[in-house]
Structures are given as C-alpha cells and as structure tokens.
Amino acid sequence: MAQITAQIPDELVEALDAVSKRLNRSRASVIRQAIERYLEDFDDVAVARDRLQDASDTVLDWVGVRSELLGADQSELR
C-alpha cells in the first residue's frame, strides 16, 4: 500500500478527528473510505455525462414510459 502526504486546512483536520472518534476508526481509515467514495461518484458522474452526450441514445417520453410500466392508458395517469 502506498503512503500519501497531503496538507489540509485545520478545520478539515478537526472535522476528520471528530468523525474518526465518532466512528472509532483511524484518520487513515476515514480518509481512505472518503477517497474511495469520491472516486466512485466521480466515475458515476463521468458515465452519466457520457451517456447524456451520446447522440445515438434515444430520449424517452415520460408519459409513454409511465403508461407502459403501469399498464394504464395515458388518460388514467393525469
């Protein structure tokens, strides 16, 4: 496992220490989990952005989709 050194503001250190104490975990553990979650979210946003920019991806009509999912005609949905 690699070790990384970073400088962060005192306020973040205080918040990190409070969370670490509350969770009964080390600073390193909390930081590692936070970075893992951030990177997962970053990947999710990148995938969503790519899909939104994909011109070949069709746009669905909400009323039609809802009608199909609920098995009702459109007049019942309004």
Side-chain angles (χ1 to χ4, degrees), residues 25-34:
R25 296 173 57 194
S26 68
R27 279 182 179 174
S29 176
V30 173
I31 292 169
R32 189 171 27 257
Q33 185 176 20

Side-chain angles (χ1 to χ4, degrees), residues 1-6 28-29 31-32 35-36:
M1 194 175 303
Q3 182 173 346
I4 297 175
T5 302
S29 176
I31 292 169
R32 189 171 27 257
I35 291 171
E36 287 170 357

Side-chain angles (χ1 to χ4, degrees), residues 57-70:
D57 193 9
T58 58
V59 176
L60 301 175
D61 172 61
W62 168 242
V63 174
V65 170
R66 186 171 177 204
S67 174
E68 186 176 319
L69 289 173
L70 296 176

